[in-house]
């Protein structure tokens, strides 16, 4: 069981780093002055799910779920 805990800890650290990098890569959610001029309703704004920003949001959600699951598993104390 000691080997499994080491492997899960390494995976946990990797997921933590991925989560940190992905969150830092995302743009802020503030519309700024572009929303006043109507620039927020562009092609990229309507198809946000298919853009790089949409992909980063999906990766963030998956990473958060894995992070929480691994945190719970590692802290159960069955090792």
């Amino acid at each position: 069981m000691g080997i499994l805990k080491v492997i899960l800890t390494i995976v946990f650290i990797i997921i933590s780093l991925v989560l940190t990098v992905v969150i830092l890569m995302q743009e802020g959610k503030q519309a700024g002055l572009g929303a006043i001029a109507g620039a927020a309703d562009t092609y990229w704004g309507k198809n946000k799910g298919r853009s790089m920003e949409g992909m980063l949001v999906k990766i963030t959600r998956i990473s958060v779920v894995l992070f929480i699951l691994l945190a719970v598993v590692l802290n159960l104390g069955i090792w």
Side-chain angles (χ1 to χ4, degrees), residues 43-71:
Y43 173 77
W44 299 112
K46 292 179 182 176
N47 292 319
K48 201 168 198 173
R50 298 181 191 165
S51 67
M52 181 69 162
E53 184 70 23
M55 185 180 69
L56 289 174
V57 170
K58 289 177 188 176
I59 292 172
T60 303
R61 289 180 183 159
I62 292 169
S63 298
V64 166
V65 169
L66 290 174
F67 180 86
I68 292 171
L69 288 176
L70 277 176

Side-chain angles (χ1 to χ4, degrees), residues 15-79:
I15 289 175
S16 300
L17 293 173
V18 167
L19 188 59
T20 303
V21 170
V22 169
I23 288 174
L24 290 175
M25 288 176 61
Q26 292 181 11
E27 296 179 9
K29 299 296 181 193
Q30 297 176 352
L33 293 176
I36 296 172
D41 291 333
T42 62
Y43 173 77
W44 299 112
K46 292 179 182 176
N47 292 319
K48 201 168 198 173
R50 298 181 191 165
S51 67
M52 181 69 162
E53 184 70 23
M55 185 180 69
L56 289 174
V57 170
K58 289 177 188 176
I59 292 172
T60 303
R61 289 180 183 159
I62 292 169
S63 298
V64 166
V65 169
L66 290 174
F67 180 86
I68 292 171
L69 288 176
L70 277 176
V72 169
V73 167
L74 286 171
N75 287 311
L76 281 178
I78 58 175
W79 314 106

